[in-house]
């Protein structure tokens, strides 16, 4: 983790302690908070975007990657979970209208 | 008020993200959802002011920030005052030609219930009275969750908190919740609304309307807190939805102090026990207590129906 690194000297800190890189929290992943891992079943997924809209992180992304289900249905985009940031809260699992997201325990 | 184009479905929400992942909010905290949707609607030309609260401490521990828009925090009590100053500064810079006058810059203050209902109230009232073009968003988790679940003015009747403990004599908070949205509406500002993250499009449209008015606007959003309300993080949206389905939380909006409408009508209302039994902070309630809360809600529903002029929230069926 970056907190364990050597701290910068006061000379290298910008005036006023301003943070020059917006959104640099993304350098600190929160995926290790997770106990249960949500996994999207791409065959069942209807691409309704509810999980994308409610994810508080955001850890669910819309990716322009076509997908063909086993029953032959074509989708223009795919929803993918970024496990570097997903905290495993399970909101998407509960809210999915077709129960296409499985919630399985993390095993190492 | 210029009529903004409203969203009809989730597919119309912008894809850009202005809140970075990796922030320190609890797993399942709906503040993340509320702020994400808010920043999607507001866009990059937005200046955010937050008072002290869960959102402020968990998104900006130095040297990190989760915000991709300009952000400022000063103290607990003055978010509205700081937002007023920012808005006045933007206006002055535009008048002097240092900032493009045609550029629309939104100033948004996002406060918790402690920083709005109790501590920041006089700054908020002053901002509303002076008529700054600021949208104030209140995410209401009904206690001081950041410091460890102390009671606030927004804590509901009979709810457990660490400063309204449950014992032999006292059982939870003795006073009802402060009706902050109606107090704000009494300032006769152009737009006041209450919203719920379980109804995302309704919430996004309210943010859009609030940003389009020429003057202050206030959006009161319920935010189920997984730590303080004592429930499993995965049920956050379910509990938020139950709040509206039991009429514990009514989604309404008031435009120009004239047009009052309930944006999420509930033709068949559920009994409040479904909402209360889902949360650990109401574990000590007996059936009589729940009936007492139900009577409060019935009275409130009757008042709202009278204000609208027709029955928008129906009788209890379940």
């Amino acid at each position: 983790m970056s907190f364990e690194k050597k701290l910068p000297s006061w000379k290298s800190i910008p005036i006023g302690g301003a943070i020059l890189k917006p959104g640099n929290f993304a350098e600190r992943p929160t995926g290790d908070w997770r106990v249960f891992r949500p996994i999207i079943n791409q065959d069942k997924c209807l691409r309704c975007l509810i999980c994308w809209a409610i994810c508080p992180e955001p850890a669910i992304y819309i990716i322009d990657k076509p997908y063909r289900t086993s029953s032959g249905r074509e989708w223009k985009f795919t929803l993918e979970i970024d496990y570097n940031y997903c905290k495993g809260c399970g909101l998407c699992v509960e809210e999915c209208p077709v129960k296409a997201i499985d919630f399985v325990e993390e095993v190492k | 008020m210029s009529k903004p184009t409203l969203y009809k479905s989730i597919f119309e929400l912008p894809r850009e993200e202005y809140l970075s992942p990796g922030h320190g909010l609890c797993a399942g905290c709906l503040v993340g959802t509320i702020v994400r949707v808010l920043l999607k609607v507001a866009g990059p030309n937005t200046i955010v002011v937050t008072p002290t609260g869960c959102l402020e401490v968990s998104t900006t521990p130095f040297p990190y920030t989760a915000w991709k828009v300009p952000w400022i925090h000063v103290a607990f009590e003055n978010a509205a005052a700081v937002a007023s100053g920012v808005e006045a500064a933007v206006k002055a810079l535009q008048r002097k030609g240092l900032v493009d006058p045609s550029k629309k810059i939104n100033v948004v203050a996002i406060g918790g219930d402690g920083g709005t209902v109790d501590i920041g109230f006089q700054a908020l009232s002053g901002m509303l009275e002076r008529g700054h073009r600021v949208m104030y968003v209140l995410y209401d988790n009904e206690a001081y969750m950041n410091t460890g679940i102390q009671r606030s003015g927004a804590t509901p009747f009979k709810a457990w908190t660490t400063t309204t403990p449950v014992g032999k004599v006292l059982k939870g908070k003795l006073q009802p919740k402060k009706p902050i949205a109606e107090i704000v509406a009494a300032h006769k500002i152009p737009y006041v609304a209450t919203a719920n993250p379980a109804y995302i499009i309704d919430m996004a449209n309210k943010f859009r309307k609030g940003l389009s008015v020429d003057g202050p606007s206030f959006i009161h959003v319920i935010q189920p807190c997984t730590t303080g309300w004592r429930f499993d993080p995965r049920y956050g949206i379910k509990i938020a939805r139950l709040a509206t389905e039991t009429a514990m939380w009514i989604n309404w909006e008031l435009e120009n102090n004239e047009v009052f409408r309930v944006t999420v009508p509930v033709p068949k209302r559920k009994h409040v026990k479904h909402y209360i039994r889902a949360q650990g902070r109401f574990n000590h309630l007996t059936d009589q207590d729940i009936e007492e809360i139900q009577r409060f809600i019935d009275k409130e529903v009757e008042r709202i129906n009278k204000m609208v002029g027709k029955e928008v929230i129906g009788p209890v069926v379940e």
Side-chain angles (χ1 to χ4, degrees):
Chain A
M1 295 292 278
S2 43
F3 283 124
E4 290 153 12
K5 274 189 223 158
K6 199 169 168 274
L7 292 170
S9 83
W10 64 272
K11 284 176 194 158
S12 62
I13 294 174
I15 292 169
I19 300 166
L20 303 179
K21 201 176 157 203
N24 65 350
F25 229 142
E27 293 165 11
R28 204 191 70 162
T30 49
D32 50 359
W33 296 21
R34 196 169 54 237
V35 180
F36 286 90
R37 170 188 286 250
I39 296 168
I40 300 179
N41 183 339
Q42 297 291 355
D43 277 1
K44 264 195 197 171
C45 175
L46 289 178
R47 273 72 171 167
C48 65
L49 302 191
I50 287 175
C51 56
W52 168 80
I54 63 168
C55 180
E57 271 302 306
I60 300 181
Y61 301 115
I62 302 170
I63 292 167
D64 289 322
K65 192 169 85 180
Y67 185 82
R68 194 182 164 86
T69 64
S70 53
S71 58
R73 192 160 177 187
E74 297 273 358
W75 292 106
K76 283 192 186 128
F77 61 90
T78 321
L79 287 159
E80 270 179 22
I81 298 175
D82 188 340
Y83 294 109
N84 284 329
Y85 300 114
C86 173
K87 289 172 184 161
C89 64
L91 281 174
C92 51
V93 180
E94 276 299 312
E95 289 308 307
C96 182
V98 289
K99 301 277 169 244
I101 305 179
D102 299 323
F103 213 29
V104 294
E105 203 167 341
E106 287 276 343
V107 276
K108 281 265 152 73
Chain B
M1 186 172 130
S2 61
K3 280 261 182 304
T5 50
L6 298 180
Y7 299 111
K8 289 194 185 72
S9 74
I10 286 178
F11 292 89
E12 291 173 21
L13 280 180
R15 301 280 161 97
E16 293 84 20
E17 302 286 354
Y18 298 104
L19 185 73
S20 86
H23 54 63
L25 289 167
C26 301
C29 179
L30 291 177
V31 172
T33 312
I34 296 166
V35 172
R36 263 186 72 213
V37 174
L38 167 61
L39 293 179
K40 275 176 193 296
V41 174
N45 291 338
T46 303
I47 299 170
V48 174
V49 184
T50 56
T52 310
C54 286
L55 180 66
E56 181 262 330
V57 296
S58 57
T59 53
T60 56
F62 190 73
Y64 294 103
T65 179
W67 300 86
K68 295 182 187 172
V69 292
W71 172 91
I72 182 172
H73 160 253
V74 178
F76 205 153
E77 61 279 3
N78 61 2
V82 173
S84 311
V86 170
E87 190 260 359
V90 169
K91 227 190 237 170
L93 288 172
Q94 286 185 330
R95 192 178 57 233
K96 290 177 182 169
L98 295 167
V99 172
D100 182 8
S102 62
K103 196 171 175 181
K104 188 171 173 267
I105 295 170
N106 303 313
V107 182
V108 179
I110 312 170
D113 55 309
T116 309
V117 176
D118 301 343
I119 298 176
F121 185 68
Q122 64 95 9
L124 173 67
S125 184
M127 181 197 90
L128 301 171
E129 184 264 330
R130 291 189 299 270
H132 293 279
R133 207 182 72 79
V134 173
M135 181 163 83
Y136 199 104
V137 177
L138 158 61
Y139 64 92
D140 187 355
N141 45 28
E142 305 192 325
Y144 288 82
M145 297 308 181
N146 176 35
T147 47
I149 325 168
Q150 284 86 13
R151 138 204 214 288
S152 81
T155 306
F157 185 51
K158 285 191 186 292
W160 164 90
T161 64
T162 50
T163 46
T164 55
V166 177
K168 278 183 188 149
V169 182
L170 296 177
K171 289 180 168 44
K173 197 187 171 192
L174 300 169
Q175 300 83 8
K177 186 182 170 105
K178 192 194 267 190
I180 184 71
E182 283 161 40
I183 296 170
V184 169
H187 289 76
K188 298 194 170 60
I189 61 167
Y191 190 73
V192 187
T194 61
N196 186 331
Y199 301 87
I200 287 222
I201 295 304
D202 180 59
M203 184 170 78
N205 284 335
K206 281 170 176 164
F207 289 147
R208 192 154 237 207
K209 280 184 189 172
L211 289 168
S212 73
V213 297
D214 193 24
S217 54
F218 184 85
I219 322 280
H220 186 188
V221 189
I222 188 175
Q223 184 250 314
C225 172
T226 156
T227 332
W229 294 19
R230 298 281 190 253
F231 62 82
D232 194 312
R234 59 199 289 187
Y235 300 120
I237 295 271
K238 270 211 166 118
I239 286 173
R241 192 175 294 120
L242 269 176
T244 294
E245 284 173 350
T246 58
M248 187 89 177
W249 183 267
I250 296 167
N251 275 349
W252 53 263
E253 60 179 4
L254 179 65
E255 284 175 13
N256 299 324
N257 207 35
E258 286 165 3
V259 190
F260 180 83
R261 67 174 86 86
V262 172
T263 51
V264 181
V266 186
K268 284 175 187 169
R269 166 155 68 97
K270 284 184 182 165
H271 195 278
V272 76
K273 68 185 176 204
H274 298 288
Y275 175 69
I276 283 183
R277 287 293 181 225
Q279 299 167 39
R281 62 173 176 161
F282 289 120
N283 260 353
H284 57 283
L285 260 62
T286 58
D287 288 348
Q288 285 88 8
D289 292 334
I290 296 179
E291 282 311 316
E292 198 181 340
I293 294 173
Q294 181 64 47
R295 277 199 296 279
F296 271 118
I297 295 175
D298 290 346
K299 224 181 248 176
E300 180 68 14
V301 165
E302 201 180 311
R303 194 176 65 87
I304 292 280
N305 282 342
K306 211 179 262 176
M307 271 163 83
V308 180
K310 62 178 180 194
E311 196 183 77
V312 280
I313 295 170
V316 181
V317 286
E318 247 181 279

